[in-house]
Amino acid sequence: MNIKDKIDYSESGVLSKVISKTEKNNLTLFSMAAGTDMTEHTSTKSGFVYVIEGNGTFVLEGEEISMSAGVIIFMEANAKHSLTAKENTSFLLCLNN
């Protein structure tokens, strides 16, 4: 599978597609349209974000991280985070059960 073939953007919003879900891991593709954001939230699971394409800002526990192709962001469970897409931005989110 080529993950880039799965990327699809809405006009103004966030699309998510479950790529794989097992007892141990959930892998989801997120595609954020330019100018959209996800307000601060947490997850009860640890995991990581792998940026496929785009340009945005990921705020993790108050630290701003530039989202560009190839960036990996590791998150502990219950870490506060938010995201803003400056351009169309896609990333994989892997959560560990």
Side-chain angles (χ1 to χ4, degrees):
M1 163 193 321
N2 185 332
I3 198 67
K4 287 189 174 190
D5 293 339
K6 302 285 185 188
I7 295 172
D8 188 25
Y9 294 101
S10 71
E11 287 185 27
S12 60
V14 179
L15 296 177
S16 64
K17 295 179 184 177
V18 175
I19 303 300
S20 175
K21 187 171 185 176
T22 67
E23 287 183 23
K24 295 184 179 184
N25 297 299
N26 293 333
L27 183 63
T28 306
L29 172 65
F30 284 86
S31 300
M32 298 177 65
T36 61
D37 60 8
M38 291 186 201
T39 58
E40 187 174 80
H41 59 282
T42 62
S43 172
T44 57
K45 301 171 183 174
S46 64
F48 67 89
V49 167
Y50 174 75
V51 182
I52 300 167
E53 65 183 20
N55 180 10
T57 302
F58 192 102
V59 180
L60 178 60
E61 294 289 338
E63 177 187 350
E64 287 191 9
I65 302 166
S66 178
M67 294 178 74
S68 58
V71 170
I72 298 176
I73 302 164
F74 294 96
M75 296 185 300
E76 295 295 326
N78 301 308
K80 292 180 184 176
H81 58 282
S82 62
L83 300 86
T84 302
K86 297 174 187 169
E87 299 173 357
N88 284 351
T89 302
S90 288
F91 59 91
L92 288 170
L93 171 64
C94 183
L95 295 176
N96 306 310
N97 294 334

